[in-house]
């Protein structure tokens, strides 16, 4: 089911979706009126998703649900930082191997750690089929590079996705309260998943992608932001459909 979810979600991402529509247009070349209409829709979709107007339209409803968390944490707190990938081929220290979202999550996790006393950081994420070590281990090494003591770190190296991460937390801490650190667009879906398992997360979002910009400026960054938001909407729909059956 994990790979089925990944494959289906890719069909709704901007670039694969536009490519499929264009390929469909090629097949329909004999029907010129229908082809022109479909090509027009494809162009509109690409322009909308590549603009700040379109990307912000998609990301704002997700990111506005939870704000930056500056509240102090009590003694003995737990901070779960959800994974987001790394690249073994990048040379240098562990912190340099992290993806931009993962680095942002790590930074927020360390900041939350410093808001409390005697806290522990929990990192999650598997390494996929090609990585030599799990993402959780790379995040842990990066945290140590930032000055966190190794005995203050717990890892979930087998968690493949947010559902797995929530299940591991259920096994490890039960209903004990914890700070949940993840990207702002991902936070609504993550909170829904964790609360569904009757856990006690407190949101600490980071990696906000809603940005002011010129409506006429079309760029790859806006397209990436749109893709991340669409991924979350598809993920929320998948989760709800799966748990309704």
């Amino acid at each position: 089911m994990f790979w089925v979810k990944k494959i289906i979600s890719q069909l709704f991402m901007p670039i694969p979706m536009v490519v499929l529509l264009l390929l469909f247009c090629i097949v329909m070349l004999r029907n010129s009126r229908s082809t022109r209409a479909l090509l027009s829709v494809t162009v509109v979709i690409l322009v909308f998703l590549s603009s700040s107007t379109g990307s912000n339209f998609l990301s704002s409803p997700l990111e506005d649900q939870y704000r930056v968390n500056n509240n102090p944490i009590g003694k003995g707190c737990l901070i779960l930082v959800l994974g987001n990938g790394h690249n073994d081929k990048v040379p240098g220290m562990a912190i340099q191997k992290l993806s931009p979202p993962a680095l942002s999550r790590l930074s927020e996790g360390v900041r939350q750690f410093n808001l409390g006393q005697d806290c522990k950081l929990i990192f999650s994420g598997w390494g996929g089929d090609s990585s030599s070590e799990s993402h959780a281990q790379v995040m842990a090494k990066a945290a140590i590079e930032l000055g966190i003591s190794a005995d203050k770190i717990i890892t979930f190296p087998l968690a493949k996705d947010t559902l797995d991460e929530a299940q591991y937390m259920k096994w490890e801490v039960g209903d004990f309260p914890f700070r949940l650190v993840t990207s702002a667009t991902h936070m609504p879906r993550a909170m829904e998943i964790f609360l569904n398992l009757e856990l006690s997360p407190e949101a600490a979002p980071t990696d906000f992608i809603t940005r002011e910009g010129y409506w006429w400026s079309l760029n790859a960054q806006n397209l990436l932001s749109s893709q991340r938001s669409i991924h979350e909407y598809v993920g929320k729909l998948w989760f709800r459909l799966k748990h309704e059956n």
Side-chain angles (χ1 to χ4, degrees):
M1 289 296 290
F2 174 77
W3 290 112
V4 172
K5 178 184 69 174
K6 291 295 183 183
I7 293 171
I8 291 176
S9 66
Q10 280 299 305
L11 299 178
F12 293 91
M13 296 303 106
I15 293 177
M17 179 173 59
V18 169
V19 169
L20 286 174
L21 287 172
L22 290 174
L23 289 174
F24 191 56
C25 288
I26 293 174
V27 174
M28 292 179 58
L29 280 176
R30 293 181 180 179
N31 190 337
S32 59
R33 180 176 296 178
S34 299
T35 302
R36 283 197 300 269
L38 188 55
L39 280 172
S40 299
V41 170
T42 303
V43 170
V44 169
I45 290 174
L46 184 59
V47 169
F48 179 74
L49 297 179
S50 302
S51 68
S52 60
T53 300
S55 63
N56 289 344
F57 175 81
L58 293 171
S59 63
S60 291
L62 296 170
E63 297 192 336
D64 288 346
Q65 295 184 42
Y66 298 95
R67 306 312 302 166
V68 174
N69 193 334
N70 294 317
N71 298 324
I73 317 176
K75 189 175 182 180
C77 58
L78 295 175
I79 301 152
L80 172 62
V81 181
L82 302 188
N84 192 260
H86 66 277
N87 192 330
D88 284 336
K89 294 183 179 179
V90 176
M93 303 173 73
I95 196 170
Q96 295 164 325
K97 300 178 185 293
L98 299 178
S99 68
L103 181 58
S104 180
R105 296 179 188 187
L106 172 63
S107 300
E108 181 62 20
V110 172
R111 190 179 78 86
Q112 293 293 326
F113 179 88
N114 292 326
L115 289 175
Q117 298 178 14
D118 195 27
C119 296
K120 287 199 174 183
L121 276 169
I122 305 173
F123 296 109
S124 64
W126 72 320
D129 298 323
S130 58
S131 181
S132 60
E133 55 187 343
S134 72
H135 181 60
Q137 293 170 322
V138 176
M139 289 282 277
K141 288 181 179 180
I144 293 172
E145 292 167 2
L146 292 177
I148 303 297
S149 176
D151 62 0
K152 297 294 184 182
I153 297 174
I154 300 170
T155 59
F156 296 156
L158 299 179
K160 292 183 178 181
D161 55 17
T162 311
L163 289 169
D164 281 355
E165 290 164 332
Q167 189 60 65
Y168 275 104
M169 283 299 285
K170 182 72 172 180
W171 292 332
E172 292 292 328
V173 307
D175 59 356
F176 189 85
F178 62 93
R179 286 273 167 98
L180 177 61
V181 177
T182 189
S183 299
T185 51
H186 182 233
M187 186 61 78
R189 179 161 65 101
M191 288 291 287
E192 184 174 350
I193 290 172
F194 279 79
L195 291 172
N196 184 69
L197 283 181
E198 299 181 347
L199 292 162
S200 304
E202 181 183 355
T206 186
D207 186 32
F208 291 83
I209 60 175
T210 301
R211 295 286 188 273
E212 291 184 3
Y214 299 108
W215 64 268
W216 44 263
S217 178
L218 309 180
N219 57 64
Q221 185 59 52
N222 290 331
L223 192 61
L224 176 60
S225 296
S226 295
Q227 175 169 309
R228 288 177 58 179
S229 298
I230 292 171
H231 177 80
E232 293 306 320
Y233 288 117
V234 173
K236 283 171 70 71
L237 178 61
W238 177 272
F239 177 76
R240 291 177 182 179
L241 289 175
K242 183 178 179 180
H243 286 79
E244 286 178 358
N245 296 328

